[in-house]
Amino acid sequence: QVQLGESGGGLVQAGGSLRLSCAASGRTFPSSLVGWFRQAPGKEREFVAALNWNDASTFYADSVKGRFTITGDGAKNTVSLQMNSLKPDDTAVYYCAGRQTPWGANVKDPLAYDYWGQGTQVTVSS
């Protein structure tokens, strides 16, 4: 089965940066569409960013535009989320998710994704 794993979370002060990484099993990344979502305590899972491997297009939530960047590294078989200018409201568990094909998908909908990682905690202090 497809397995995804996130790493890079931690505790950082407001204004700082973190880089999250999503690693996939196998020789190549198994999903055409890769998304990052986050979930804070007591809140619904929220879309953060997505990458379409087929055409390198990217998508971002309005709340993170200009601060977060999603990139794919074929050589390392990973997808990263660079997070800059972090705010306390960014505190959440961050999940990596994959979808086999990008067609007919709403990239912001978690139900559109087929595979999920276990999550990594990001905590931003004020």
Side-chain angles (χ1 to χ4, degrees):
Q1 61 181 12
V2 175
Q3 294 184 339
L4 303 177
E6 304 95 335
S7 62
L11 175 63
V12 65
Q13 293 184 344
S17 299
L18 285 173
R19 186 177 181 87
L20 306 183
S21 180
C22 176
S25 60
R27 296 182 298 276
T28 60
F29 212 92
S31 302
S32 297
L33 184 67
V34 180
W36 283 97
F37 292 79
R38 65 189 183 187
Q39 187 165 21
K43 297 183 179 180
E44 296 182 349
R45 190 161 296 187
E46 176 189 24
F47 170 77
V48 177
L51 168 70
N52 186 338
W53 279 102
N54 292 342
D55 60 8
S57 59
T58 57
F59 310 86
Y60 295 96
D62 289 341
S63 60
V64 306
K65 287 182 179 178
R67 299 190 298 122
F68 292 10
T69 303
I70 185 171
T71 56
D73 188 332
K76 297 182 178 180
N77 205 30
T78 59
V79 175
S80 297
L81 183 69
Q82 178 66 44
M83 306 186 296
N84 298 326
S85 301
L86 284 163
K87 306 173 181 179
D89 285 347
D90 295 320
T91 296
V93 176
Y94 283 70
Y95 298 90
C96 176
R99 178 182 169 91
Q100 292 180 325
T101 61
W103 304 288
N106 178 359
V107 300
K108 299 181 179 181
D109 185 359
L111 296 179
Y113 293 81
D114 302 309
Y115 315 108
W116 292 83
Q118 81 287 352
T120 186
Q121 176 70 47
V122 172
T123 302
V124 184
S125 62
S126 60

